[in-house]
Amino acid sequence: MKTIKIEDALKLENVVFIDVRTESEHEEDNILDAFSMPLFKDNEHNEVGTIYKMQGKHEAIKIGFDYVGYKLKDIYLNVLEAAKNHDNVVVYCARGGMRSGSVVNLVSSLGINVYQLEGGYKAYRNYVLDYLRNIMNTKEFIVVHGLTGVGKTDLLKMLEENNIDNIDLEGIAKNSGSTFGFITFDQKPPSQKKFETKIFEELFYSNSDYIFIESESKRVGHVCVPNEIYDAIIRDGHHILLECSTENRVKRLCRDYIHNQKNKEENIQTLKDCINKFRKRLGHKRVDKYINLLDEGKYEELVERYLVEYYDPLYMHSVDKYKYNQVINFDDMTKGLNESIKYHEKAKKEQ
């Protein structure tokens, strides 16, 4: 049986990871969008573990055969298909033990060339944490700042389309940085482990040592930015300030939170519920005015008033506290993109 260490597995070309842990283990976090092929269901895994502790290894193996026996054909076919489409196949379980070992032994005996990951997911998780603790000694962030609606996320997407390294923390967290951030994402937010894994992947496979990232608070939605990454955002690296007119900010926010939503009527009600939660902070009179504007379909006026009266004064301090290496006007998005790319090239040359 061939085994491989995680640091070597991550360097393999055209590789697919097969996760034989339970569905819930896979959902919490997995390696490089691994193919999920659970050997046991959650309840089955719990039962086998209990029997192992209470009655011993051999009794656990007996009950394990009952749960796995009927899946053997599918396991073989799934691994065979993976091997046809990839040069390298790596099978892993929680700790590199019996689950992955039994699958690798089985398919290897049937002529399929695969690896078992030494230490399993636990080894990968330790590798991720160690990498995140130390990587900012060699990488640098180009941090994008700006008031709500200036287009920070748009810039990151445009950079991505131009193969410029960037990390979209809001996208990974499934939550944008505004009061209504959850509205623009209909996917379940990731676990903390999965959030950290996605950041690791972006850094590990980056093409340069200079990576664009949006200025963020420590908490992004339901998850927290790892300490070393957050410290690099707020203390080190390069800082760019995006600016654009209030008119364009309003248009962009209306696009994201109202016009581009799948169910506009349902989304309007969600916005109304969110605004109502600010009565204590903003007062009944102001909130009633916001609700009326929403009901009347005066979305641009609502957004502009919300920015000018509440959001900008609240967050201006976070913009003003930095000394910027460059200020970029983003009213012309193509021009702003080109200026950002030029800054990236300049930073690499000065390395």
Side-chain angles (χ1 to χ4, degrees):
M1 181 172 66
K2 292 197 307 182
T3 64
I4 189 169
K5 295 182 182 297
I6 186 59
E7 53 265 36
D8 297 320
L10 292 172
K11 298 174 185 176
L12 291 173
E13 297 291 334
N14 192 23
V15 61
V16 62
F17 288 84
I18 295 180
D19 185 354
V20 298
R21 300 174 302 157
T22 64
E23 290 183 357
S24 62
E25 288 175 296
H26 178 84
E27 175 63 24
E28 184 181 24
D29 188 28
N30 55 81
I31 304 175
L32 295 179
D33 296 322
F35 175 72
S36 179
M37 191 181 72
L39 209 57
F40 301 116
K41 296 178 180 178
D42 289 308
N43 63 308
E44 294 171 347
H45 183 239
N46 291 336
E47 183 177 353
V48 170
T50 300
I51 291 175
Y52 185 93
K53 292 178 181 178
M54 302 296 292
Q55 301 179 38
K57 177 179 178 180
H58 294 294
E59 292 300 318
I61 291 175
K62 288 179 184 178
I63 192 68
F65 274 121
D66 292 335
Y67 290 140
V68 174
Y70 71 94
K71 303 173 188 174
L72 292 179
K73 180 180 178 181
D74 287 339
I75 289 172
Y76 168 73
L77 292 175
N78 284 330
V79 178
L80 179 63
E81 184 68 17
K84 287 179 179 178
N85 295 318
H86 298 84
D87 296 330
N88 296 285
V89 179
V90 180
V91 180
Y92 73 92
C93 58
R95 295 178 177 82
M98 290 186 64
R99 282 186 286 178
S100 59
S102 60
V103 169
V104 170
N105 276 323
L106 170 67
V107 298
S108 295
S109 69
L110 298 174
I112 304 176
N113 190 25
V114 299
Y115 294 99
Q116 181 191 21
L117 181 63
E118 292 183 21
Y121 170 78
K122 185 177 181 181
Y124 174 71
R125 176 64 179 165
N126 289 336
Y127 186 87
V128 168
L129 292 176
D130 184 63
Y131 185 92
L132 293 177
R133 277 191 291 266
N134 296 290
I135 189 55
M136 298 318 297
N137 294 327
T138 56
K139 302 279 186 181
E140 288 192 34
F141 286 138
I142 300 174
V143 187
V144 182
H145 302 258
L147 292 171
T148 301
V150 297
K152 298 185 291 292
T153 300
D154 284 341
L155 175 60
L156 293 183
K157 289 178 179 177
M158 295 168 74
L159 289 167
E160 182 72 25
E161 292 169 358
N162 284 270
N163 298 314
I164 306 295
D165 292 316
N166 71 90
I167 299 177
D168 181 2
L169 292 175
E170 293 179 352
I172 297 173
K174 310 302 179 191
N175 188 285
S176 77
S178 78
T179 309
F180 312 118
F182 64 91
I183 291 173
T184 53
F185 294 95
D186 56 9
Q187 297 171 285
K188 180 182 177 182
S191 67
Q192 181 66 32
K193 287 182 179 179
K194 185 176 288 188
F195 180 64
E196 292 168 355
T197 286
K198 292 301 180 183
I199 294 173
F200 159 78
E201 290 174 5
E202 296 288 355
L203 289 166
F204 188 83
Y205 292 105
S206 59
N207 296 311
S208 80
D209 290 336
Y210 292 86
I211 301 166
F212 283 91
I213 194 167
E214 183 177 343
S215 176
E216 288 291 350
S217 59
K218 175 69 174 174
R219 175 169 287 276
V220 186
H222 296 273
V223 291
C224 292
V225 180
N227 290 333
E228 290 77 14
I229 303 302
Y230 181 67
D231 288 344
I233 291 174
I234 65 173
R235 295 177 188 171
D236 305 319
H238 307 250
H239 297 273
I240 287 177
L241 178 64
L242 280 195
E243 296 182 335
C244 78
S245 67
T246 300
E247 179 184 1
N248 282 332
R249 293 170 63 204
V250 169
K251 288 180 180 178
R252 184 174 285 114
L253 291 168
C254 286
R255 176 200 70 186
D256 291 343
Y257 292 106
I258 298 174
H259 302 309
N260 281 4
Q261 295 302 308
K262 295 178 182 178
N263 191 328
K264 187 173 180 178
E265 290 185 7
E266 181 179 321
N267 196 61
I268 294 297
Q269 182 58 51
T270 303
L271 284 168
K272 190 179 294 185
D273 293 340
C274 289
I275 293 171
N276 273 315
K277 294 178 181 178
F278 284 80
R279 289 188 175 276
K280 185 175 181 181
R281 184 177 299 177
L282 301 178
H284 292 293
K285 184 176 180 180
R286 182 176 292 180
V287 169
D288 287 341
K289 178 61 177 176
Y290 290 168
I291 296 296
N292 288 337
L293 290 172
L294 194 60
D295 289 337
E296 293 168 5
K298 297 180 179 179
Y299 308 128
E300 286 77 11
E301 183 180 349
L302 165 63
V303 171
E304 183 170 352
R305 291 191 60 168
Y306 187 73
L307 286 176
V308 173
E309 297 174 359
Y310 170 67
Y311 224 77
D312 286 357
L314 184 66
Y315 288 96
M316 185 64 77
H317 71 91
S318 64
V319 172
D320 288 340
K321 68 181 181 180
Y322 289 96
K323 180 178 180 181
Y324 294 100
N325 300 89
Q326 186 163 342
V327 178
I328 296 176
N329 186 285
F330 209 53
D331 283 314
D332 184 330
M333 294 173 63
T334 301
K335 184 178 179 181
L337 169 65
N338 290 334
E339 288 187 39
S340 300
I341 293 175
K342 286 180 181 177
Y343 187 87
H344 186 254
E345 292 299 321
K346 177 184 175 183
K348 290 194 297 181
K349 288 178 181 178
E350 292 177 351
Q351 185 176 4

